[in-house]
Amino acid sequence: MKTLSQWLFLAFISFGTVYTLCGQEVSDQLTFTFSQEDASIHPRIKGIWKSIGGGYIWDARGDSFHLYSYTENYCFRERNDYQERLMIFEAQFLFKGDTLRIFPTDYGEQTAQLNTPVDFIRVGELPNCLSREKLQKAGTDMIFAIFLENMEENYAFSKERKLDWEKIRMRYIDRVKDTTNQDSLFQWMGEIVQSTKDHHTKIFNKSGQKIQYTYTPSSDIVYDAYSHQSKVKDLNTFFGQFFESNYRHISDTLLQGKGKKVLNGKIEWGRLNQGIGYIHIHQFSGFVKDPIPRKQQVDSIRYYMTEIIDNLRDTDAIIVDVSFNFGGFDAAALTIAGHFTPEKLWAYSNQVFHQNSYQTVMETYVYPSTAEPYLKPVYLLTTDITRSAAEIFSMAMRAIPHVKHVGKPTLGILSGMLNKSLGPFHTTCSYQRFLTPDGKFFEATGIPPEMELEIFNRPDVMKGHLEAVRELIRIIE
């Protein structure tokens, strides 16, 4: 009996991936995957498409897109309405030879620049796949088997995180065989997820409860401070005060109450003194209160960043602070970075992992904004709280010659999250690595600064960031 991967390989060989248009060279012009006028899939991409990395299959034969996931021994219909809506309302495509390249999000003229695309090859037909309903009713042993196969085949950093999937399988397999209890299965999958020590690798149950790894080095410092005081009785309350006090020091002390908050409070900016500007980027998402397309959010970012740079243009230097940034979407990070360069710069290459190998998808560049850039010294400040899209931003900024990275290493979770539905569960894992032009990647280790600067110190964690910025001001001056 052939495994699913063998079946797909044979289909690939038998039917080939040749997809030319009447023997003519295919244009690289981006085209929407779905015609709103005809309510139909574009005829050039009708068929079955297998992703290069990620373990996805698109069924694009009818009047709508159906997303499937596969592993070595399983195939099942995804419960991912978000991706299917993107394919209908926003996604665009072009062909790279015989490879179909999908750009999921519409950013107008910058769609190709701001997306991380996904590549696909044509296969003959859809294999025998489980429906959503059948997967919902599947036994715990099957769900667990799919979960482990998905992790082993798609998790990109088993070596870096020291994960032995066979040992993990043997540790849990007997427990799973002896139970039909989904609550127990959820806890066991949660233990495996936490063993990755990866914040982007998570498991959710049908009630929305989540299990993931949450430790950061700075949390030890905060916990130590909590343990040596008696006023605050609850640890979560103490952590809340830690963030609130640091945010307050930015607004009231560093910017002396004269700063401005824009983009739904996600960016706060002003002057630390006459010669040094300051931009605190709180997050790379949530730039507007109402849910609007990312394209419009990016347009708003360009508008306000142009205003910020124009107002700080007469300074001698700017500190761009992402010390407390938990991430967001990469397009926002790349858009902001574009306000600090007059030329296109290679920031990183994106590779996807699948079944023991990496495939390079494309190189990502920082493209200059249409507005006049800031070309004086820029200091990028990071901590181990800096994560995800904030780390993508850090890689983009480090590609700019007049930017100096200071502070502490970032958290080391740069990869996007690969989403999979597993019956009543939903899981994510890290499946990409981003390489600098000289071939380095920083998953698990974090991005090291060019100049170390202590941020959160044990004597007073509530003022550590404040004193670090003051020290950086002294260094700049």
Side-chain angles (χ1 to χ4, degrees):
M1 179 180 175
K2 293 184 176 64
T3 65
L4 178 64
S5 292
Q6 289 170 328
W7 185 95
L8 286 168
F9 178 74
L10 289 172
F12 174 58
I13 297 298
S14 300
F15 294 93
T17 58
V18 178
Y19 191 66
T20 56
L21 195 60
C22 301
Q24 300 299 312
E25 182 178 354
V26 177
S27 169
D28 63 357
Q29 180 68 39
L30 282 173
T31 306
F32 281 97
T33 55
F34 193 86
S35 169
Q36 301 301 322
E37 292 181 1
D38 301 334
S40 63
I41 296 170
H42 195 285
R44 286 173 59 194
I45 62 170
K46 284 274 189 177
I48 308 294
W49 297 92
K50 171 193 170 186
S51 65
I52 300 177
Y56 284 129
I57 300 173
W58 276 114
D59 183 350
R61 293 174 297 179
D63 293 330
S64 59
F65 294 93
H66 291 168
L67 182 62
Y68 292 81
S69 280
Y70 73 89
T71 62
E72 180 73 17
N73 296 295
Y74 298 95
C75 176
F76 56 93
R77 174 76 192 279
E78 272 290 343
R79 194 175 70 251
N80 196 326
D81 295 337
Y82 174 71
Q83 289 292 340
E84 292 181 3
R85 284 198 301 271
L86 282 180
M87 290 293 283
I88 291 175
F89 295 109
E90 293 197 42
Q92 297 170 58
F93 74 90
L94 55 76
F95 279 94
K96 180 186 176 185
D98 298 323
T99 302
L100 172 66
R101 175 161 288 181
I102 299 289
F103 298 83
T105 308
D106 180 18
Y107 291 113
E109 293 181 355
Q110 289 196 303
T111 293
Q113 298 174 10
L114 296 179
N115 267 287
T116 299
V118 184
D119 287 347
F120 294 82
I121 58 172
R122 183 183 288 275
V123 295
E125 60 182 297
L126 191 68
N128 185 23
C129 298
L130 292 169
S131 67
R132 290 174 176 174
E133 293 74 23
K134 285 186 177 180
L135 191 58
Q136 286 285 341
K137 297 175 182 178
T140 52
D141 53 345
M142 177 181 286
I143 292 173
F144 184 73
I146 297 173
F147 167 75
L148 268 188
E149 281 196 11
N150 174 67
M151 291 293 293
E152 186 171 3
E153 293 178 17
N154 294 305
Y155 187 71
F157 305 103
S158 298
K159 178 182 177 181
E160 288 76 13
R161 303 286 187 181
K162 298 179 172 59
L163 300 170
D164 186 324
W165 293 109
E166 187 56 33
K167 287 183 178 179
I168 292 171
R169 180 179 288 103
M170 297 308 297
R171 190 180 307 143
Y172 288 92
I173 193 67
D174 288 336
R175 300 188 215 175
V176 174
K177 285 179 181 177
D178 294 336
T179 185
T180 57
N181 187 322
Q182 290 188 351
D183 291 335
S184 297
L185 178 62
F186 177 57
Q187 293 301 321
W188 295 331
M189 291 191 294
E191 290 175 8
I192 295 170
V193 159
Q194 289 177 317
S195 72
T196 66
K197 298 183 179 181
D198 182 340
H199 293 238
H200 271 172
T201 300
K202 312 170 189 179
I203 186 78
F204 301 81
N205 65 13
K206 59 185 177 183
S207 301
Q209 184 182 356
K210 175 179 66 175
I211 301 178
Q212 70 176 122
Y213 184 76
T214 58
Y215 171 80
T216 63
S218 59
S219 65
D220 266 354
I221 299 174
V222 178
Y223 180 77
D224 184 64
Y226 167 77
S227 301
H228 287 83
Q229 57 86 52
S230 57
K231 186 176 180 180
V232 181
K233 304 298 183 183
D234 178 70
L235 179 59
N236 288 332
T237 300
F238 191 81
F239 267 98
Q241 290 182 3
F242 163 74
F243 284 104
E244 288 170 10
S245 64
N246 279 288
Y247 297 151
R248 188 169 60 251
H249 286 314
I250 290 172
S251 301
D252 299 342
T253 307
L254 292 172
L255 295 177
Q256 303 171 60
K258 298 178 181 179
K260 293 183 180 180
K261 292 184 179 181
V262 298
L263 293 166
N264 197 28
K266 303 309 177 188
I267 295 182
E268 185 173 11
W269 66 278
R271 293 172 184 259
L272 300 171
N273 56 37
Q274 191 58 34
I276 301 176
Y278 180 81
I279 304 173
H280 173 232
I281 307 174
H282 180 73
Q283 195 172 313
F284 286 106
S285 63
F287 297 104
V288 291
K289 291 182 179 179
D290 300 321
I292 64 172
R294 288 184 176 182
K295 177 183 181 298
Q296 292 172 255
Q297 294 190 52
V298 165
D299 289 342
S300 297
I301 292 169
R302 291 194 194 99
Y303 174 84
Y304 283 104
M305 279 303 300
T306 298
E307 178 184 271
I308 292 168
I309 296 301
D310 284 346
N311 277 273
L312 298 179
R313 196 173 301 284
D314 64 334
T315 57
D316 299 317
I318 290 177
I319 297 173
V320 179
D321 192 349
V322 288
S323 295
F324 301 98
N325 195 305
F326 283 76
F329 60 98
D330 295 352
L334 292 169
T335 298
I336 293 174
H339 287 266
F340 296 95
T341 178
E343 60 182 340
K344 171 183 169 182
L345 296 170
W346 183 10
Y348 54 83
S349 299
N350 168 38
Q351 294 185 330
V352 292
F353 179 82
H354 186 65
Q355 295 177 338
N356 297 318
S357 65
Y358 283 97
Q359 177 75 33
T360 299
V361 177
M362 67 175 290
E363 292 74 40
T364 296
Y365 295 83
V366 182
Y367 288 86
S369 167
T370 54
E372 185 180 350
Y374 186 89
L375 300 179
K376 298 175 187 177
V378 175
Y379 295 82
L380 173 70
L381 186 61
T382 69
T383 68
D384 65 283
I385 296 173
T386 308
R387 66 190 69 182
S388 193
E391 296 180 274
I392 294 298
F393 177 71
S394 300
M395 289 190 76
M397 292 292 283
R398 286 164 62 99
I400 301 171
H402 58 278
V403 173
K404 185 163 189 173
H405 181 189
V406 301
K408 301 296 286 184
T410 63
L411 185 57
I413 54 165
L414 292 83
S415 170
M417 290 181 282
L418 184 70
N419 291 271
K420 301 285 182 172
S421 59
L422 302 173
F425 305 105
H426 178 84
T427 185
T428 66
C429 74
S430 298
Y431 73 112
Q432 300 166 305
R433 68 178 182 185
F434 298 97
L435 280 73
T436 60
D438 60 356
K440 297 178 182 176
F441 69 95
F442 303 108
E443 195 80 22
T445 64
I447 306 172
E450 298 167 87
M451 182 179 74
E452 283 254 357
L453 182 66
E454 197 66 43
I455 308 291
F456 305 121
N457 54 66
R458 294 180 187 276
D460 192 351
V461 294
M462 302 299 177
K463 291 184 179 179
H465 175 264
L466 170 65
E467 295 304 324
V469 175
R470 284 173 169 170
E471 175 62 20
L472 183 53
I473 291 171
R474 287 191 284 271
I475 291 171
I476 295 170
E477 291 180 333

Coordinates of all heavy atoms in Angstrom, one line a residue, residues 63-94:
D63 N -16.2 26.1 -8.1 CA -16.5 27.5 -8.0 C -15.9 28.2 -6.7 O -16.1 29.4 -6.5 CB -18.0 27.8 -8.1 CG -18.5 27.5 -9.5 OD1 -17.8 27.5 -10.5 OD2 -19.7 27.1 -9.6
S64 N -15.3 27.4 -5.9 CA -14.7 27.9 -4.7 C -13.4 27.1 -4.3 O -13.2 26.0 -4.9 CB -15.7 27.9 -3.5 OG -16.1 26.6 -3.3
F65 N -12.6 27.6 -3.4 CA -11.4 26.9 -3.0 C -11.6 26.0 -1.8 O -12.2 26.5 -0.9 CB -10.3 27.9 -2.7 CG -9.8 28.7 -3.9 CD1 -10.4 30.0 -4.2 CD2 -8.8 28.3 -4.8 CE1 -10.0 30.7 -5.3 CE2 -8.4 29.0 -5.8 CZ -9.0 30.2 -6.1
H66 N -11.1 24.8 -1.9 CA -11.2 23.9 -0.7 C -9.7 23.6 -0.3 O -8.9 23.1 -1.1 CB -11.9 22.6 -1.0 CG -13.4 22.9 -1.3 ND1 -14.2 21.9 -1.8 CD2 -14.2 23.9 -1.0 CE1 -15.5 22.4 -1.9 NE2 -15.4 23.6 -1.4
L67 N -9.4 23.8 1.0 CA -8.1 23.6 1.5 C -8.0 22.3 2.2 O -8.8 22.0 3.1 CB -7.7 24.8 2.4 CG -6.3 24.7 3.0 CD1 -5.2 24.8 1.9 CD2 -6.1 25.8 4.0
Y68 N -6.9 21.5 1.9 CA -6.7 20.2 2.5 C -5.3 20.3 3.1 O -4.4 21.0 2.6 CB -6.8 19.1 1.5 CG -8.2 18.8 1.0 CD1 -8.7 19.6 0.0 CD2 -9.0 17.8 1.6 CE1 -10.0 19.4 -0.4 CE2 -10.3 17.6 1.2 CZ -10.8 18.4 0.1 OH -12.1 18.2 -0.3
S69 N -5.0 19.4 4.1 CA -3.7 19.2 4.7 C -3.3 17.7 4.5 O -4.2 16.9 4.5 CB -3.6 19.6 6.1 OG -3.5 21.0 6.3
Y70 N -2.1 17.5 4.3 CA -1.6 16.1 4.2 C -0.3 15.9 5.0 O 0.4 16.8 5.2 CB -1.4 15.7 2.8 CG -0.2 16.3 2.1 CD1 1.0 15.6 2.2 CD2 -0.2 17.5 1.5 CE1 2.2 16.1 1.6 CE2 0.9 18.0 0.9 CZ 2.1 17.4 1.0 OH 3.2 17.9 0.4
T71 N -0.2 14.6 5.5 CA 1.1 14.1 6.1 C 1.4 12.9 5.3 O 0.8 12.5 4.3 CB 0.9 13.9 7.6 OG1 -0.1 12.8 7.7 CG2 0.4 15.1 8.3
E72 N 2.4 12.2 5.8 CA 2.9 10.9 5.1 C 1.7 9.9 4.9 O 1.6 9.3 3.9 CB 4.0 10.3 5.9 CG 4.6 9.0 5.4 CD 5.5 9.3 4.2 OE1 5.9 10.4 3.9 OE2 5.7 8.3 3.4
N73 N 0.9 9.8 5.9 CA -0.2 8.8 5.9 C -1.6 9.3 5.9 O -2.5 8.5 5.9 CB 0.1 7.8 7.1 CG 1.4 7.1 6.9 OD1 1.6 6.3 6.0 ND2 2.3 7.3 7.9
Y74 N -1.8 10.6 6.0 CA -3.1 11.1 6.1 C -3.4 12.3 5.2 O -2.4 13.0 4.8 CB -3.4 11.6 7.6 CG -3.3 10.5 8.6 CD1 -2.1 10.2 9.2 CD2 -4.4 9.6 8.8 CE1 -2.0 9.2 10.2 CE2 -4.3 8.6 9.8 CZ -3.1 8.4 10.4 OH -3.0 7.4 11.3
C75 N -4.6 12.5 4.9 CA -5.1 13.7 4.2 C -6.5 14.1 4.7 O -7.3 13.2 5.0 CB -5.2 13.5 2.7 SG -5.8 14.9 1.7
F76 N -6.7 15.4 5.0 CA -8.0 15.8 5.6 C -8.3 17.2 5.1 O -7.5 18.0 4.8 CB -7.9 15.7 7.1 CG -6.8 16.5 7.7 CD1 -7.0 17.7 8.2 CD2 -5.5 15.9 7.9 CE1 -6.0 18.5 8.8 CE2 -4.5 16.6 8.5 CZ -4.7 17.9 9.0
R77 N -9.6 17.5 5.1 CA -10.1 18.8 4.7 C -9.9 19.7 5.9 O -10.2 19.5 7.1 CB -11.6 18.7 4.4 CG -12.3 20.1 4.2 CD -12.0 20.6 2.8 NE -12.4 22.0 2.7 CZ -13.7 22.4 2.5 NH1 -14.6 21.5 2.3 NH2 -14.0 23.7 2.4
E78 N -9.3 20.9 5.6 CA -9.0 21.9 6.6 C -10.2 22.6 7.1 O -11.1 22.9 6.3 CB -7.9 22.9 6.1 CG -6.5 22.5 6.3 CD -6.1 22.5 7.8 OE1 -6.8 23.2 8.6 OE2 -5.1 21.9 8.2
R79 N -10.2 23.0 8.3 CA -11.2 23.9 8.9 C -10.6 25.3 9.0 O -10.3 25.8 10.0 CB -11.7 23.4 10.2 CG -13.0 24.0 10.8 CD -13.4 23.4 12.1 NE -12.5 23.8 13.2 CZ -11.7 22.9 13.8 NH1 -11.6 21.7 13.4 NH2 -10.9 23.3 14.8
N80 N -10.4 25.9 7.8 CA -9.7 27.2 7.7 C -10.4 28.1 6.8 O -10.0 28.4 5.7 CB -8.2 26.9 7.3 CG -7.3 28.1 7.5 OD1 -7.7 29.3 7.5 ND2 -6.0 27.8 7.8
D81 N -11.5 28.7 7.3 CA -12.3 29.6 6.5 C -11.5 30.9 6.2 O -11.8 31.5 5.1 CB -13.6 30.0 7.2 CG -14.5 28.8 7.4 OD1 -14.4 27.8 6.6 OD2 -15.3 28.8 8.3
Y82 N -10.6 31.3 7.0 CA -9.8 32.5 6.8 C -9.0 32.4 5.5 O -9.1 33.3 4.7 CB -8.9 32.8 8.0 CG -8.0 34.0 7.8 CD1 -8.5 35.3 7.8 CD2 -6.6 33.8 7.6 CE1 -7.6 36.3 7.6 CE2 -5.8 34.8 7.4 CZ -6.3 36.1 7.4 OH -5.4 37.2 7.2
Q83 N -8.3 31.3 5.4 CA -7.4 31.1 4.2 C -8.3 31.0 2.9 O -8.0 31.5 1.9 CB -6.6 29.9 4.3 CG -5.5 30.0 5.3 CD -4.4 31.0 4.9 OE1 -4.3 31.3 3.7 NE2 -3.6 31.5 5.9
E84 N -9.4 30.3 3.0 CA -10.3 30.2 1.9 C -10.9 31.5 1.5 O -11.1 31.8 0.3 CB -11.4 29.1 2.2 CG -10.8 27.7 2.3 CD -11.8 26.6 2.6 OE1 -13.0 27.0 2.6 OE2 -11.5 25.5 2.8
R85 N -11.3 32.4 2.4 CA -11.8 33.7 2.1 C -10.7 34.6 1.4 O -11.0 35.3 0.5 CB -12.3 34.4 3.4 CG -13.6 33.9 3.9 CD -14.3 34.9 4.8 NE -13.4 35.1 6.0 CZ -13.4 34.4 7.1 NH1 -14.3 33.4 7.2 NH2 -12.7 34.7 8.1
L86 N -9.4 34.4 1.9 CA -8.4 35.2 1.3 C -8.2 34.8 -0.2 O -8.0 35.7 -1.0 CB -7.0 34.9 2.0 CG -6.8 35.7 3.3 CD1 -5.4 35.3 3.8 CD2 -6.8 37.2 3.1
M87 N -8.4 33.5 -0.5 CA -8.2 33.1 -1.9 C -9.3 33.6 -2.8 O -9.2 33.8 -4.0 CB -8.2 31.5 -1.9 CG -7.0 30.9 -1.4 SD -5.5 31.2 -2.3 CE -5.7 30.1 -3.7
I88 N -10.5 33.9 -2.2 CA -11.6 34.5 -3.0 C -11.5 36.0 -3.1 O -11.8 36.5 -4.1 CB -12.9 34.0 -2.3 CG1 -13.1 32.5 -2.5 CG2 -14.1 34.8 -3.0 CD1 -14.4 32.0 -1.8
F89 N -11.1 36.7 -2.0 CA -11.3 38.1 -2.0 C -9.9 38.9 -2.1 O -10.0 40.0 -2.5 CB -12.0 38.5 -0.7 CG -13.4 38.1 -0.6 CD1 -13.7 37.1 0.3 CD2 -14.4 38.6 -1.4 CE1 -15.1 36.6 0.4 CE2 -15.7 38.2 -1.3 CZ -16.0 37.2 -0.4
E90 N -8.8 38.3 -1.8 CA -7.6 39.0 -1.8 C -6.4 38.4 -2.6 O -5.6 39.1 -3.1 CB -7.1 39.3 -0.4 CG -8.0 40.2 0.4 CD -7.3 40.7 1.7 OE1 -6.1 41.1 1.6 OE2 -8.0 40.8 2.8
A91 N -6.3 37.1 -2.6 CA -5.1 36.5 -3.1 C -4.9 36.7 -4.6 O -5.8 36.8 -5.4 CB -5.2 35.0 -2.8
Q92 N -3.6 36.8 -4.9 CA -3.2 37.0 -6.3 C -2.1 36.0 -6.7 O -1.5 35.4 -5.8 CB -2.7 38.4 -6.6 CG -3.8 39.5 -6.3 CD -3.2 40.9 -6.3 OE1 -2.6 41.3 -7.3 NE2 -3.4 41.6 -5.2
F93 N -1.9 35.8 -7.9 CA -0.9 34.7 -8.3 C -0.1 35.2 -9.5 O -0.4 36.1 -10.3 CB -1.6 33.4 -8.7 CG -2.4 33.4 -10.0 CD1 -1.8 33.0 -11.2 CD2 -3.7 33.9 -10.0 CE1 -2.4 33.1 -12.4 CE2 -4.4 33.9 -11.3 CZ -3.8 33.5 -12.4
L94 N 1.0 34.5 -9.7 CA 1.8 34.5 -10.9 C 2.5 33.1 -11.0 O 2.5 32.4 -10.1 CB 2.8 35.7 -11.0 CG 3.8 35.9 -9.8 CD1 5.0 34.9 -9.9 CD2 4.3 37.3 -9.9

